[in-house]
């Protein structure tokens, strides 16, 4: 295979290497994400940018999952982003975090102490919603300015406090919202939860026509008319008895569209609501790993994928052709139909500079898709190049890796695996 090489000198040789682009993936592929307990995943409208949240923090990918950047150390169970993937909202204990610049900088927003939140964003990232619960009380917060300020909506008999919220979804303009609860307080016990909807950006809410279930996930079309909801358990609250329901009228009426009863954890929808993906933690019983089901006609018919795992989150591009799922037990992220990294028209340039007792290696974000940083101590053939394990971080439209300085005689290069 012919290689193109660009070299720079700094304590040795820094080489830039790329390979021809692979074709569009046709099967589920394990991404280059590090092994971690992943909890939630989101993607940009074209599926090229992925944002994943888990117990070890928040990571992002600019190339459909080929390579990943460390963004935030905060453990998080829920993540959402704008259509272009640059504005991010992530849950945290007692609040949420927002980033206006692809994770380069973050702002913490304290909401209700000790509550665990689940989040959603409008397409432009300005309208945000966070729902959750702590102890026996739930809470809902809204922002119309990308998280600068937050409000709590009015509701019937403080409905947001009586329900333990577990999922929320937003239309593209942030006007239509749907929130689901895994349980509701009643008569000294907890009962299966409801689904509520809003048609005025969360100012007021109404109970939908959905049956009470242990709801774990909701999704909606770009205009908010087509909804989908996944339940881990049904009215009996017994795990594995959950169903998938859909609505074509903004939640007024609902239809059981489930291919089977199961431990459903997540459902995601294309922008028009026709393409759905649903994943389960187990398959029928805890002895079996979970499954992936997909529909191309709004849940009218489903097909089961061969890929299995202990899935807890799913995301889809707006056209439903690029998908991503997280496996919480095997600590993996998979993609289907991920776009192969192509050689950019202008190759990224690796720059090196000393910064006190550290060495800074940087390259631009705009043409970095698929490139990883490699190092070697000897250029004599056959040179053995190994990935640099120091976590890269984004900032000011560039990616940066910091290394101890001074270094022994080392050589670096950027290369597409």
């Amino acid at each position: 295979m012919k290689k193109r090489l660009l070299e720079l000198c700094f304590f040795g040789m820094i080489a830039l290497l790329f390979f021809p682009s692979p074709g569009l993936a046709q099967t589920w592929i394990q991404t280059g994400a590090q092994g971690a307990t992943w909890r939630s995943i989101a993607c940009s409208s074209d599926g090229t940018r992925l944002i994943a949240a888990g117990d070890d923090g928040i990571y992002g990918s600019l190339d459909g999952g080929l390579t990943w950047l460390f963004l935030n150390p905060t453990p998080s169970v829920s993540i959402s982003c704008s259509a272009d993937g640059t504005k991010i909202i992530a849950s945290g204990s007692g609040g949420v975090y927002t980033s206006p610049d692809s994770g380069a900088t973050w702002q913490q927003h304290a909401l209700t102490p000790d509550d665990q939140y689940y989040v959603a964003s409008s397409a432009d990232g300005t309208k945000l919603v966070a729902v959750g619960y702590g102890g026996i009380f739930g809470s809902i917060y809204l922002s119309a300015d990308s998280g600068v300020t937050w409000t709590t909506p009015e509701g019937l008999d403080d409905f947001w406090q009586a329900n333990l919220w577990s999922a929320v979804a937003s239309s593209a303009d942030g006007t239509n919202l749907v929130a689901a609860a895994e349980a509701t307080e009643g008569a000294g016990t907890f009962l299966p939860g409801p689904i509520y909807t809003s048609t005025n950006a969360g100012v007021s809410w109404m109970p939908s026509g959905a049956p009470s279930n242990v709801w774990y996930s909701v999704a909606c079309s770009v205009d908010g008319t087509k909804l989908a909801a996944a339940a881990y358990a049904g009215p009996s609250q017994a795990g594995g008895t959950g169903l998938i329901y859909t609505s074509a009228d903004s939640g007024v009426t609902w239809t059981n569209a489930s291919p089977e009863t199961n431990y459903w954890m997540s459902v995601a929808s294309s922008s028009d609501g026709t393409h759905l993906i649903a994943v389960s933690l187990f398959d029928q019983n805890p002895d079996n790993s979970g499954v992936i089901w997909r529909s191309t006609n709004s849940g009218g018919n489903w097909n089961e994928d061969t890929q299995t795992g202990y899935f807890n989150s799913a995301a889809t591009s707006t056209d439903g052709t690029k998908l991503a799922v997280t496996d919480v037990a095997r600590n993996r992220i998979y993609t289907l139909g991920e776009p192969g990294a192509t050689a950019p028209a202008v190759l990224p340039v690796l720059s090196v500079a000393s910064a006190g007792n550290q060495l800074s290696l940087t390259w631009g974000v705009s043409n970095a898709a698929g490139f990883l940083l490699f190092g070697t101590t000897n250029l004599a053939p056959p040179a053995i190049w190994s990935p640099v394990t120091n976590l890269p971080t984004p900032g000011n439209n560039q990616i940066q890796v910091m290394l101890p300085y001074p270094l022994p005689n080392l050589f670096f290069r950027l290369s597409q695996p």
Side-chain angles (χ1 to χ4, degrees), residues 260 262-263 280-286 288-291 293 304:
E260 59 186 4
N262 223 326
Y263 298 80
S280 68
L281 185 64
F282 309 116
D283 186 19
Q284 306 299 308
N285 69 73
N288 301 326
S289 55
V291 291
W293 286 81
E304 183 179 1

Side-chain angles (χ1 to χ4, degrees), residues 131 242 245 385:
V131 304
Y245 283 80
W385 294 91

Side-chain angles (χ1 to χ4, degrees), residues 10 17 22 36 44 52 89 93 102 107 132 164 168 175 203 212 238 241 264 267 269 324 338 367 381 387 401 409:
F10 191 94
L17 174 69
S44 58
I89 177 172
S93 178
S102 302
Q107 293 79 44
L164 307 187
V168 65
T175 299
V203 175
S212 296
T241 60
W264 299 112
V267 62
S269 169
E338 78 175 320
N367 54 355
V401 171
N409 193 46

